[in-house]
Amino acid sequence: AQKVTQAQTEISVVEKEDVTLDCVYETRDTTYYLFWYKQPPSGELVFLIRRNSFDEQNEISGRYSWNFQKSTSSFNFTITASQVVDSAVYFCALSPATGFQKLVFGTGTRLLVSP
Amino acid sequence: NAGVTQTPKFQVLKTGQSMTLQCAQDMNHEYMSWYRQDPGMGLRLIHYSVGAGITDQGEVPNGYNVSRSTTEDFPLRLLSAAPSQTSVYFCASTRSMGAPGNTIYFGEGSWLTVV
């Protein structure tokens, strides 16, 4: 069975601090996909990144970066110089390679960035 | 291009009533899914479909029915609403695997309260 664990329920930081959101996953598949989504207070799900299990390169997109380590089954997400607009719930999700119709989500991490 | 459209956005039901949450996509996606989001639980898969006439159960299917008579539509039926079905419901669609640039499109969510 597949499982995603986001152990951090809520994180509070002050603006401009760096913050890392942890994601640990379990799967028996050799090929799979990992995702991060942002859910702002308005409720919609905003896609941030998708990573194939064969691609362990770290990725940076502006203030966002992701560290994928298969050896520890982790796909952590770092926000550099956080801003108030980053306040949201962030979800890590796992999908089998057979299709994206069966995502397994973590329970989410609520990030509160105060001015 | 509307993407994934869910209706209604908000609904209050009485225990025992039935209703249908509508989901439509205009991208000719083969795969569609329904998730529910509960506080502290993340999103959990209810039912999914890999094409017209083909549906299957997800993690939490009890109390829900689905059908897929067309590629565009994937309605979720609550047979006899219970307070435990109070939740936010998300519909998602995606192409089958192998399609270049494949990603997942989520609807904006439907807030359902059962009293």
Side-chain angles (χ1 to χ4, degrees):
Chain A
Q2 299 190 324
K3 184 179 179 181
V4 175
T5 300
Q6 295 180 257
Q8 304 152 309
T9 304
E10 185 170 306
I11 302 174
S12 293
V13 299
V14 178
E15 216 170 11
K16 298 184 183 177
E17 283 186 29
D18 299 346
V19 58
T20 295
L21 309 181
D22 297 332
C23 173
V24 174
Y25 63 92
E26 298 175 27
T27 180
R28 294 179 181 171
D29 295 342
T30 54
T31 304
Y32 49 89
Y33 290 81
L34 294 162
F35 301 79
W36 275 96
Y37 283 88
K38 174 182 179 180
Q39 187 176 47
S42 52
E44 74 273 22
L45 290 165
V46 178
F47 168 78
L48 296 178
I49 190 171
R50 181 188 75 203
R51 179 50 50 92
N52 182 302
S53 56
F54 289 121
D55 182 2
E56 288 195 67
Q57 284 190 343
N58 292 334
E59 182 156 339
I60 299 174
S61 177
R63 297 184 296 107
Y64 295 170
S65 62
W66 290 269
N67 181 270
F68 176 33
Q69 292 193 342
K70 284 182 77 171
S71 60
T72 56
S73 297
S74 64
F75 187 43
N76 296 338
F77 173 33
T78 297
I79 301 175
T80 303
S82 59
Q83 300 176 0
V84 172
V85 293
D86 295 327
S87 296
V89 179
Y90 291 85
F91 291 100
C92 181
L94 172 66
S95 168
T98 50
F100 296 160
Q101 74 279 18
K102 296 193 292 183
L103 288 180
V104 174
F105 283 83
T107 52
T109 297
R110 181 178 301 276
L111 175 64
L112 300 172
V113 182
S114 55
Chain B
N1 194 351
V4 178
T5 303
Q6 289 183 233
T7 57
K9 193 169 180 67
F10 299 98
Q11 182 72 49
V12 178
L13 279 180
K14 293 183 178 178
T15 297
Q17 285 184 320
S18 63
M19 78 155 297
T20 299
L21 296 176
Q22 302 290 347
C23 177
Q25 52 92 7
D26 59 0
M27 298 169 282
N28 203 33
H29 286 170
E30 298 91 345
Y31 294 173
M32 297 185 74
S33 307
W34 275 103
Y35 297 86
R36 60 177 288 173
Q37 181 180 10
D38 302 299
M41 304 281 292
L43 280 78
R44 292 180 293 168
L45 182 65
I46 305 172
H47 285 284
Y48 65 94
S49 169
V50 297
I54 306 171
T55 63
D56 205 348
Q57 297 181 349
E59 180 186 353
V60 288
N62 292 341
Y64 305 95
N65 264 0
V66 292
S67 60
R68 185 97 179 269
S69 56
T70 67
T71 299
E72 295 77 21
D73 300 300
F74 191 42
L76 178 73
R77 297 182 185 84
L78 281 70
L79 308 173
S80 178
S84 60
Q85 293 178 303
T86 293
S87 189
V88 182
Y89 293 85
F90 286 94
C91 180
S93 77
T94 182
R95 299 181 199 174
S96 60
M97 291 308 297
N102 196 16
T103 189
I104 306 167
Y105 293 80
F106 281 91
E108 295 184 337
S110 295
W111 275 252
L112 176 65
T113 300
V114 183
V115 298

